[in-house]
Amino acid sequence: MRVVHDFIAESLKRREIDNSLRSLRTESGLIDFCSNDYLGFARSAELKELFKHELEKYPGYQLGASGSRLITGNSQFSESLEARISQYHHAEASLLFNSGYDANVGFFSCIPQRGDTIICDEYIHASIIDGVRLSHATRFVFRHNDLTSLEEKLRASRGRIFIAVESVYSMDGDEAPLKGICDLAEKFGAAVIVDEAHAVGMFGDRGRGITDQLGLNDRVFARVVTFGKALGVHGAAVLGSAELRTYLINFSRSFIYTTAAPFLNHLGVKVAYDFLNAHDHQSELYKRIDLFHSHIRKDLGLIPSRSGIQALLVPGNSRVKDMALLIQTSGFDVRPILTPTVPAGSERLRICLHNHNAMAEIASLCEIINSNL
Ligand SMILES: Cc1ncc(COP(=O)(O)O)c(C=O)c1O
């Protein structure tokens, strides 16, 4: 056992030396510029009221799902929620997963087989990397958003080919060139999978995402939508054909071997979608993004982004941590993104803009950054 203790102690020591040791924090009480609650749904009093009102219709609800979807965890409610989600996103079918992490792991570990190739953007989310690792397919990585690099990898690919991209990248806030990716995919007979975790709620008609906005729903093989970001609740769904849904029910281990999410969770997702559909939440967010762009100094290392994620490069773990601390001391909760979450040299402040950020708060945040960077 000693050797295991030694390994753990050394690994933590190395993180301390790199200034990259992670630790948990409770509520900071600072102004939120770091959560993924872009539209303010997680804290919306109106949404909470809608939830309470809706809950009254189900006095006999069960607290826990009591089993996996394939045993006792399925219900008419979860199936009608899936129908509602696929209809909302203009997909033939959808399948709920307990989180976006589970959805990506479950998808990529069971569809690509030995001899197949999965090509990922170099900035693809860890959940997709982990799913790919569990599959027996070959993984290629193409340079971020670079269609020439993607084409090179496509030429070298064997078997069935899968291309994994995010419509909005979680750490950079920029968007994948989805049309060009679909054109290339069609040329090589590849299937495109788009993770829309950060696009849902933020882009497209009533937040339907970028694939839908660009009219590409029928040109991609599957989409992953998550509920823990702009929708303010929790969970995820894979959108695609009815056949894909049946395949996932049969082969996706993160779907099969886990207790289904509880009714309260699914009710939250339903109410969040109703709320998303009921108002134009996006215009308020765009106003805030425009204000941020007009106030932030142009000579700083801001990664171009139209989204609520604005990444400001401050290379070096120590430097970016110090900068975040300085901003936090002024009352704004901005978090540093360190190596190894991002490649060394691209450490950044990840500034998330939200509908609950007052315009004056955004202007003050920019002032602090402008005068200290
Ligand atoms: C692009 C992307 N995909 C998937 C996930 C995982 O989603 P969830 O938080 O629902 O597990 C995240 C969350 O960090 C993400 O940023």
Side-chain angles (χ1 to χ4, degrees):
M1 226 157 69
R2 183 74 251 148
V3 285
V4 180
H5 284 302
D6 288 350
F7 163 75
I8 289 176
E10 278 162 25
S11 305
L12 291 174
K13 189 82 211 151
R14 241 176 290 127
R15 280 274 162 103
E16 259 175 37
I17 292 167
D18 295 347
N19 217 345
S20 63
L21 186 69
R22 295 178 168 118
S23 60
L24 296 174
R25 288 169 58 162
T26 54
E27 301 87 332
S28 67
L30 303 175
I31 299 165
D32 174 25
F33 278 103
C34 61
S35 81
N36 296 322
D37 187 19
Y38 307 113
L39 303 177
F41 279 23
R43 64 203 69 210
S44 162
E46 192 181 344
L47 185 52
K48 272 190 257 182
E49 276 312 308
L50 288 173
F51 180 82
K52 279 191 225 159
H53 181 70
E54 194 72 14
L55 186 58
E56 283 167 11
K57 296 184 192 162
Y58 304 91
Y61 77 87
Q62 203 173 291
L63 271 180
S66 79
S68 69
R69 290 280 299 279
L70 282 161
I71 310 291
T72 52
N74 197 33
S75 64
Q76 281 180 4
F77 189 86
S78 31
E79 294 202 358
S80 68
L81 177 61
E82 286 172 335
R84 166 93 174 101
I85 290 168
S86 42
Q87 174 242 337
Y88 195 79
H89 290 284
H90 305 132
E92 187 180 303
S94 80
L95 185 69
L96 291 164
F97 281 77
N98 287 353
S99 70
Y101 186 90
D102 284 358
N104 281 330
V105 166
F107 181 96
F108 286 95
S109 60
C110 80
I111 300 185
Q113 301 293 309
R114 196 179 299 283
D116 293 343
T117 309
I118 309 169
I119 311 176
C120 301
D121 186 285
E122 66 177 314
Y123 292 169
I124 205 72
H125 192 260
S127 53
I128 295 181
I129 296 175
D130 290 358
V132 173
R133 279 187 184 149
L134 286 172
S135 85
H136 296 285
T138 303
R139 177 163 77 108
F140 288 159
V141 173
F142 70 100
R143 278 194 303 277
H144 181 53
N145 280 349
D146 183 334
L147 293 176
T148 309
S149 172
L150 173 60
E151 183 156 7
E152 275 166 24
K153 303 296 173 191
L154 280 163
R155 286 189 194 289
S157 295
R158 298 285 171 269
R160 286 169 290 252
I161 311 172
F162 300 84
I163 302 172
V165 293
E166 290 171 41
S167 47
V168 172
Y169 281 89
S170 59
M171 290 297 141
D172 291 53
D174 59 348
E175 294 153 52
L178 281 184
K179 275 204 173 111
I181 289 169
C182 286
D183 290 345
L184 276 177
E186 279 157 17
K187 189 168 152 192
F188 288 87
V192 179
I193 298 93
V194 186
D195 181 333
E196 297 248 40
H198 296 274
V200 168
M202 211 188 280
F203 288 109
D205 175 34
R206 292 285 201 258
R208 285 176 168 80
I210 295 187
T211 310
D212 188 79
Q213 187 178 37
L214 297 176
L216 298 173
N217 294 342
D218 295 335
R219 296 179 68 192
V220 307
F221 178 70
R223 287 173 276 164
V224 174
V225 292
T226 70
F227 315 137
K229 303 182 195 302
L231 279 158
V233 282
H234 187 80
V238 173
L239 314 176
S241 66
E243 191 182 44
L244 169 64
R245 181 175 184 273
T246 306
Y247 181 90
L248 292 171
I249 292 171
N250 277 275
F251 293 101
S252 179
R253 295 166 71 86
S254 63
F255 174 82
I256 299 167
Y257 296 109
T258 191
T259 302
F263 167 77
L264 288 175
N265 188 317
H266 286 167
L267 188 72
V269 176
K270 184 219 176 267
V271 176
Y273 266 101
D274 289 348
F275 195 49
L276 186 65
N277 192 37
H279 308 280
D280 169 17
H281 300 275
Q282 291 73 39
S283 306
E284 283 303 309
L285 185 63
Y286 300 153
K287 274 187 215 159
R288 284 157 176 77
I289 297 167
D290 286 347
L291 184 91
F292 179 82
H293 284 154
S294 66
H295 278 64
I296 198 82
R297 248 174 53 209
K298 303 288 170 286
D299 59 331
L300 299 176
L302 191 69
I303 297 176
S305 154
R306 295 192 304 151
S307 77
I309 304 167
Q310 299 291 323
L312 203 51
L313 293 172
V314 184
N317 278 354
S318 308
R319 218 181 132 224
V320 73
K321 270 176 114 172
D322 289 349
M323 189 62 201
L325 193 63
L326 188 145
I327 297 170
Q328 287 162 13
T329 313
S330 309
F332 303 101
D333 201 354
V334 169
R335 301 289 172 92
I337 306 292
L338 309 176
T339 312
T341 301
V342 289
S346 72
E347 295 82 1
R348 77 268 321 261
L349 297 171
R350 180 175 182 264
I351 300 162
C352 295
L353 302 170
H354 312 99
N355 282 357
H356 50 273
N357 294 138
M359 295 296 197
E361 291 168 351
I362 298 172
S364 303
L365 173 68
C366 289
E367 239 168 70
I368 292 161
I369 294 172
N370 289 345
S371 47
N372 287 285
L373 253 186

